[in-house]
């Protein structure tokens, strides 16, 4: 595989780490800023909001720029945002800088996927793109647990300075290893926006928002659940977060395999499984063994949804996938924001640290219902398309019969 893919994977590793490690160091950040856990959860939502805003706007702004230039600029913004967050003097400034750090997230993955595809040999485009996203999954297995442990021992600010340093390594590697891409072919913004006229695109984005929002309602507050409810030591939580990351990696792999075979049944199974596991976690979190097993299953079920929906939304977008692909990242982080916000609300309302699991189960059931609507709409669209095709075939056959039955005009005899 081209060595340039490793440069993209390092960038994805840094982005994945900064997105999810906030969940691991949430208690430390809350104590440092002098706020409670639900209020600190807004730092998760601020990053997610940055992704939601930045993904479409920066993608549109960069449509006609060379991809390598775009990647370097986005990674520079990523480094700046995380550095400023690590130095934030107050919670309010922290919210602002987390928003800034989230802006390049979606656009980086959109541009990176295009570059990865262009570097691939024939028939290996999906494999090349998966190599870049491998950095994102490894962030949950390695980056988040290590960052959490570092934050507990040396302070959460050290964690985000390390994240900024990872961004610096990615910047240098992209500059050295990614070949110049040139200006992209003429791209029509009208064509990209036209994909959003399709109801199935909006349904897919809504499924991502609510389905994955359920998972994030749990994962946003998993650290205080494991320490204050399950009774784990803070240092043990890092190993459990690594286990959750391993579950995410397994779920991502399974979802990717199933997306090519039976996407809608796989999606329904993943969402139903996630709702069940979140409900189960409300009981098993009181047991160390039960919590350990269940947190792995939460990761598996939640991240099975992501590749299935990525494939589906790209399919429904037709030939204009760039902006829709960025919109998936926006939906993913709206899910993150909604899950963190609603989970914090029920905790602040006095329902306890376990209550985000119930919120997550409800959100996931909403996503499952939307998947059912999408399946019904798809069946109707398929039936309508088949009816149009049958009618066209019938008209063609009728025209052919009329042509055969028409009398042949005799040629006029030549006059003497």
């Amino acid at each position: 595989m081209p060595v340039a893919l490793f440069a993209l994977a390092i960038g994805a590793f840094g982005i994945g780490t900064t997105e999810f490690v906030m969940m691991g160091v949430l208690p430390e950040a809350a104590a440092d800023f002098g706020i409670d856990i639900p209020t600190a959860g807004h730092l998760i939502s601020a990053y997610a909001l940055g992704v939601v805003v930045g993904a479409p706007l920066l993608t549109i702004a960069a449509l006609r720029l060379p991809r390598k230039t775009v990647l370097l600029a986005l990674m520079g913004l990523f480094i700046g945002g995380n550095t400023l967050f690590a130095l934030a003097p107050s919670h309010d400034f922290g919210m602002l800088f987390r928003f800034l750090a989230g802006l390049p997230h979606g656009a980086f993955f959109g541009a990176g996927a295009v570059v990865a595809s262009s570097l691939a040999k024939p028939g290996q485009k999906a494999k090349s793109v998966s190599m870049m996203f491998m950095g994102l999954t490894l962030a949950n297995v390695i980056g988040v647990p290590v960052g959490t442990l570092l934050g507990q021992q040396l302070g959460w600010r050290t964690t985000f300075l390390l994240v900024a340093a990872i961004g610096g390594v990615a910047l240098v590697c992209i500059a050295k290893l990614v070949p110049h891409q040139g200006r992209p072919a003429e791209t029509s913004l009208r064509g990209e926006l036209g994909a959003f006229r399709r109801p199935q695109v909006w349904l897919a984005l809504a499924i991502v928002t609510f389905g994955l929002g359920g998972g994030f309602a749990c994962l946003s507050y998993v650290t205080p659940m494991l320490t204050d409810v399950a009774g784990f030591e803070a240092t043990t939580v890092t190993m459990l977060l690594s286990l959750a990351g391993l579950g995410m990696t397994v779920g991502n792999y399974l979802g990717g395999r199933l997306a090519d075979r039976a996407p809608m049944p796989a999606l329904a199974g993943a969402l139903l499984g996630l709702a069940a596991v979140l409900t189960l976690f409300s009981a098993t979190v009181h047991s160390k063994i039960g919590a350990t097993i269940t947190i792995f299953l939460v990761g598996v079920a939640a991240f099975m949804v992501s590749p299935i929906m990525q494939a589906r939304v790209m399919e429904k977008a037709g030939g204009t996938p760039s902006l829709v692909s960025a919109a998936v990242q926006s939906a993913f982080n709206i899910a993150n924001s909604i899950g963190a916000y609603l989970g914090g609300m029920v905790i602040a309302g006095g329902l306890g640290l376990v209550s985000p699991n119930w919120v997550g189960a409800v959100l996931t059931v909403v996503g499952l219902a939307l998947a059912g609507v999408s399946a019904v709409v798809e069946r109707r669209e398929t039936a309508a398309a088949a009816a149009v095709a049958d009618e066209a075939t019938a008209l063609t056959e009728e025209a052919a019969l009329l042509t055969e039955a028409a009398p042949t005009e005799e040629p006029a005899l030549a006059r003497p």
Side-chain angles (χ1 to χ4, degrees):
M1 300 296 289
V3 69
L5 294 178
F6 292 101
L8 299 176
I10 293 170
F13 180 84
I15 289 174
T17 299
T18 199
E19 179 176 22
F20 296 114
V21 79
M22 192 71 246
M23 302 171 186
V25 297
L26 204 62
E28 287 74 22
D32 187 26
F33 285 135
I35 55 178
D36 57 23
I37 291 291
T39 304
H42 296 166
L43 294 168
I44 299 172
S45 299
Y47 182 91
L49 182 61
V51 180
V52 171
V53 173
L57 292 184
L58 295 181
T59 298
I60 291 171
L63 277 177
R64 298 181 182 179
L65 294 175
R67 300 297 180 191
K68 183 174 180 176
T69 301
V70 172
L71 290 171
L72 292 171
L74 292 171
M75 194 49 60
L77 181 58
F78 170 83
I79 295 167
N82 281 284
T83 301
L84 288 171
F85 178 59
L87 302 174
S90 68
H91 174 250
D92 290 338
F93 277 103
M95 291 280 289
L96 174 62
F97 297 145
R98 278 290 280 174
F99 173 82
L100 183 64
L103 287 175
H105 180 124
F108 180 89
F109 281 115
V114 174
V115 172
S117 297
S118 70
L119 297 173
K121 296 178 181 178
Q124 294 188 352
K125 288 188 176 183
K127 185 177 180 180
S128 292
V129 174
S130 70
M131 283 293 294
M132 179 187 70
F133 278 95
M134 183 64 71
L136 185 61
T137 57
L138 287 176
N140 291 298
V141 179
I142 301 172
V144 173
V146 170
T148 299
L149 181 61
L150 191 66
Q152 291 168 346
Q153 299 300 317
L154 301 176
W156 67 271
R157 297 177 187 274
T158 305
T159 298
F160 287 94
L161 287 174
L162 176 62
V163 168
I166 294 171
V169 173
L171 183 73
V172 172
C173 290
I174 291 170
K176 296 292 186 181
L177 301 178
V178 175
H180 181 66
Q181 298 288 301
R183 291 184 179 275
E186 189 69 21
T187 305
S188 168
L189 178 58
R190 179 177 296 180
E192 292 283 346
L193 292 173
F196 291 93
R197 297 194 189 99
R198 300 178 174 92
Q200 285 285 26
V201 169
W202 286 105
L203 280 169
L205 295 174
I207 293 167
V208 171
T209 299
F210 288 96
L212 287 176
F216 283 122
C218 165
L219 293 172
S220 296
Y221 301 97
V222 70
T223 296
M225 282 187 214
L226 293 173
T227 54
D228 297 0
V229 181
F232 285 104
E233 296 293 331
T235 52
T236 307
V237 171
T238 59
M239 291 185 290
L240 295 174
L241 291 176
S242 183
L243 184 63
L246 182 60
M248 294 174 191
T249 303
V250 171
N252 189 65
Y253 174 78
L254 292 176
R257 294 291 296 272
L258 294 172
D260 292 328
R261 299 180 182 179
M264 291 309 291
L267 175 64
L271 290 171
L272 187 61
L274 179 57
V277 169
L278 289 172
T279 303
L280 179 65
F281 195 36
S282 299
T284 60
V285 72
H286 298 280
S287 160
K288 288 186 177 180
I289 295 176
T292 301
I293 296 171
T294 313
I295 194 62
F296 173 79
L297 296 177
V298 170
V300 172
F303 274 70
M304 275 185 67
V305 176
S306 183
I308 295 171
M309 293 312 302
Q310 181 72 46
R312 183 167 178 79
V313 78
M314 296 288 283
E315 173 196 347
K316 298 306 177 184
T320 55
S322 297
L323 195 54
V324 168
S325 181
V328 173
Q329 295 297 321
S330 293
F332 187 90
N333 283 275
I334 291 173
N336 193 345
S337 181
I338 288 176
Y341 179 74
L342 294 179
M345 276 188 62
V346 293
I347 294 174
L351 297 180
L353 288 172
V354 177
S355 57
N357 293 323
W358 293 105
V359 172
V362 171
L363 288 173
T364 304
V365 169
V366 173
L368 182 61
L370 289 168
V373 172
S374 180
V376 170
V377 171
E378 185 171 56
R379 281 198 295 269
R380 290 179 177 175
E381 289 176 346
T382 302
V388 170
D390 290 343
E391 183 178 354
T393 301
L395 290 173
T396 301
E397 292 175 350
E398 183 179 352
L401 290 173
L402 290 173
T403 301
E404 292 175 3
T408 305
E409 184 178 341
E410 293 293 334
L413 295 175
R415 294 182 179 180

